[in-house]
């Protein structure tokens, strides 16, 4: 399991040596590894037995500035933990017991603050990978940024119905998760094969290596019975469908991730992402 993220750590009153990053297996029931920030701002690693098995040098975690961490955990009776901070390896320890039920990490938990852990934790640009993919998606990929692109045009087909106005994209140009306005503006569809497709703003001008593209939706159903939907992309005329999801009565956020450009079979390039279109479809 490979986890990486940007971290802004603001230390305030309270005790250190509490939960920070935790990884579980057995469907999320069994803790296999825990990272925690110590009072000297080192990072300690506890294995599944709860004992500190490795620790970085003091002071690697800074306060009040953004840092980028890359964590590798191999879940095994004699496992491995590797930590990089701003591209520099600060810990690489083998022989750690990081396995209880099996050797597959199925849940990652990020802690923020609590009554016993009173430190401000702000996270950004979170990426989680496993070792089952094709390079470069089977290892940490270095300091990266996740750019959020919002719809800027109706591209057609546009079979879904806007809740107001004449443009569908204006009803769904809210960032998700966390920024959508619920039932204030939306588009709706209820007939299988109904599709709506949208254009998006381009990537920042300094974008270089592009590791993936994700289409993210927030949706709910208002009718009885089962409903399913999916997102899809049009890349250079090549249509590729994402996973089919069941829709429930409360809003949920789902995403489908494309690791390679469906039009070329290769990693994405900026020109391809700038031109890509994405949409939604009623499946049933």
């Amino acid at each position: 399991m490979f986890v990486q993220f940007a971290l802004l750590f603001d230390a305030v009153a309270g005790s250190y040596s509490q939960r920070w990053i935790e990884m579980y297996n057995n469907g999320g029931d069994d803790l296999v590894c825990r990272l925690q920030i110590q009072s000297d701002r080192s990072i300690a690693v506890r294995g599944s037995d709860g004992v500190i098995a490795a620790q970085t040098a003091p002071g690697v975690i800074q306060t009040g500035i953004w840092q980028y961490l890359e964590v590798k955990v191999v879940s095994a009776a004699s496992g491995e933990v590797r930590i990089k901070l701003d591209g520099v390896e600060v810990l690489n320890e083998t022989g750690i017991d990081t396995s209880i039920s099996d050797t597959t990490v199925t849940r990652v938990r990020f802690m923020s603050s609590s009554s016993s852990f009173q430190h401000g934790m702000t996270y950004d640009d979170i990426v989680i990978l496993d070792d089952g993919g094709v390079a470069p998606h089977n290892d940490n990929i270095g300091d990266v940024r996740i750019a959020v692109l919002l719809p800027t045009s109706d591209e057609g087909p546009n079979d879904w119905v806007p809740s107001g106005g004449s443009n569908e994209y204006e009803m769904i140009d809210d960032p998700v998760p966390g920024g959508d306005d619920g039932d204030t503006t939306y588009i709706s569809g209820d007939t299988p094969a109904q599709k709506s497709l949208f254009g998006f703003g381009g990537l920042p001008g300094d974008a270089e290596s592009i590791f993936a593209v994700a289409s993210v939706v927030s949706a709910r159903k208002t009718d009885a019975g089962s409903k399913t939907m999916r997102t899809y992309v049009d890349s250079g005329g090549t249509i590729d469908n994402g996973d089919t999801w069941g829709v429930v009565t409360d809003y949920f956020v789902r995403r489908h991730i494309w690791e390679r450009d469906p039009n070329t079979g290769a990693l994405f390039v900026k020109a391809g992402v700038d031109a890509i279109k994405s949409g939604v479809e009623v499946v049933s």
Side-chain angles (χ1 to χ4, degrees):
M1 174 66 68
F2 305 93
V3 180
Q4 54 185 77
F5 53 92
L7 173 71
L8 179 64
F9 176 73
D10 290 318
V12 296
S15 60
Y16 287 74
S17 303
Q18 301 294 324
R19 297 176 177 179
W20 177 36
I21 306 295
E22 297 180 333
M23 299 185 183
Y24 298 81
N25 62 19
N26 189 26
D29 290 335
D30 295 334
L31 178 67
V32 300
C33 180
R34 173 183 294 159
L35 275 60
Q36 56 192 53
I37 299 176
Q38 304 292 89
S39 58
D40 60 0
R41 288 183 285 108
S42 63
I43 302 172
V45 178
R46 294 184 184 269
S48 58
D49 56 6
V51 176
I52 292 180
Q55 192 166 344
T56 70
V60 296
I61 295 296
Q62 303 295 308
T63 60
I65 65 171
W66 283 100
Q67 295 178 279
Y68 201 83
L69 287 94
E70 301 172 75
V71 180
K72 171 187 177 181
V73 173
V74 176
S75 181
S78 182
E80 175 187 354
V81 177
R82 180 191 71 196
I83 302 174
K84 290 183 179 181
L85 199 153
D86 293 331
V88 177
E89 187 173 270
V90 295
L91 185 145
N92 194 338
E93 191 77 15
T94 58
I96 299 175
D97 185 358
T98 56
S99 176
I100 299 178
S101 307
D102 55 50
T103 57
T104 301
V105 176
T106 56
R107 178 186 175 195
V108 180
R109 184 181 187 186
F110 291 80
M111 306 297 290
S112 179
S113 62
S114 67
S115 58
S116 62
F117 187 28
Q118 298 172 21
H119 310 289
M121 293 284 190
T122 304
Y123 300 96
D124 201 359
D125 302 317
I126 297 172
V127 177
I128 300 175
L129 301 159
D130 61 28
D131 61 358
V134 178
H137 302 104
N138 57 356
D139 201 344
N140 290 123
I141 54 177
D143 188 344
V144 295
R145 173 187 173 191
I146 299 174
V148 177
L149 307 180
L150 301 178
T152 56
S153 62
D154 293 340
E155 293 295 324
N158 290 102
D159 301 331
W160 290 45
V161 180
S163 60
S166 58
N167 297 320
E168 290 189 39
Y169 80 90
E170 292 179 332
M171 302 295 102
I172 59 169
D173 57 353
D174 310 315
V176 292
D180 59 286
D181 60 13
D183 286 342
T184 302
T185 60
Y186 58 89
I187 59 175
S188 61
D190 60 6
T191 304
Q194 270 188 299
K195 293 184 175 183
S196 283
L197 188 66
F198 307 97
F200 292 79
L203 288 170
D206 58 353
E208 295 181 358
S209 300
I210 301 168
F211 294 101
V213 166
S215 184
V216 187
V217 300
S218 176
R220 74 181 187 96
K221 68 170 187 171
T222 59
D223 202 356
S226 62
K227 290 290 184 182
T228 61
M229 65 170 294
R230 64 188 174 194
T231 185
Y232 69 100
V233 293
D234 179 341
S235 177
T238 298
I239 305 296
D240 196 71
N241 295 320
D243 296 328
T244 296
W245 307 308
V247 186
V248 296
T249 53
D250 294 323
Y251 277 105
F252 72 102
V253 175
R254 293 289 187 271
R255 61 179 51 82
H256 186 88
I257 298 173
W258 284 266
E259 296 179 349
R260 282 171 167 72
D261 188 336
N263 189 42
T264 65
L267 292 175
F268 286 97
V269 298
K270 184 178 185 302
V273 176
D274 288 347
I276 204 166
K277 304 167 189 176
S278 183
V280 288
E281 178 182 6
V282 179
V283 177
S284 66

